Amino acid sequence: MSESSGPAHRPSAVAGPWSVPVLFRERRPRVVVKADLLPAVSVFGVLTVLCFPLALAWALLAPPERVRIVDADGTQGPLELESWHRFDDLAVFGFLALGLGIVAGVVVWLLRERRGPVVFLAAVLGVTLAAALAKLIGVGWANAFYVISTPPTLGSVIELAPRLESWWVLLTGPLGVSIAYTLLATWNGRDDLGRRLG
C-alpha cells in the first residue's frame, strides 16, 4: 500500500452532522394505559353529566312548530314555512353538541400529563353518551314547556314542542372532540404529546 493512501475508513455511527448514534437515540414513548384509566373514567363521568345543561339549552332555544286546528276533532293543519322548524331543532342541537365537543376536546388536551389515546377515547365516548341522554331528556323537557292544558278550539293556532327526528345528529359531539384534539396534537408535534413536560 502506498504512503499517500490514508488509513482505511470505517463507517461512522454518525450519519450526518445532526444525527445521533443509534445507541443514544431516544426510544419512542409507548401508549400509557394503566395510569390513564382512572383519569379517563373521571373524564367520561364529568362529560356524561353535561347532558343536563345541554338538554336544557336545547329545550329553551329550539323553536316550536305552529299549527292550526282545522277540524272540530283536533286535526292539525300546517302553517306556511313552520315545518322548517323541524330542521331548525336538529340544527340547534347539532351546533350545541358540536360546541360541547370542541370545548371538551380543548379541556381534555390541557390535561398535559394524561394526553394520549386513552383519555381521548374517554372524551369521545363521554360526549357521545351526553348527547344521547340530552336528546332523550331535552325532548321530555320541551314537551313539558309546551304542554297544552285546554283543548284547542277550531281555527286556533297552537305550538308543538320541538322534536329531534334523527339520531345522526349525535355524531356532531364526538366530531367536535376529534377535530379539536387532533388539531392540537398535530400542532404539538411531539411523540409523547408533551406529557414529559407536565
Side-chain angles (χ1 to χ4, degrees), residues 17-34:
W18 301 105
S19 60
V20 180
V22 177
L23 295 177
F24 297 100
R25 285 184 185 170
E26 185 178 354
R27 294 181 179 178
R28 285 184 174 271
R30 296 182 178 179
V31 176
V32 179
V33 177
K34 187 175 181 180

Side-chain angles (χ1 to χ4, degrees), residues 32-112:
V32 179
V33 177
K34 187 175 181 180
D36 287 353
L37 281 180
L38 185 58
V41 172
S42 300
V43 167
F44 178 80
V46 169
L47 291 177
T48 301
V49 173
L50 294 180
C51 67
F52 296 106
L54 178 61
L56 180 60
W58 176 81
L60 294 175
L61 294 176
E65 179 184 359
R66 297 189 304 165
V67 296
R68 186 183 301 277
I69 304 300
V70 296
D71 201 348
D73 61 356
T75 304
Q76 302 170 357
L79 295 177
E80 187 177 2
L81 303 180
E82 285 294 319
S83 61
W84 289 8
H85 289 320
R86 294 165 63 184
F87 171 78
D88 296 337
D89 299 338
L90 280 173
V92 169
F93 188 90
F95 281 117
L96 288 174
L98 180 66
L100 174 63
I102 292 175
V103 171
V106 173
V107 171
V108 170
W109 174 260
L110 294 178
L111 304 175
R112 182 187 294 273

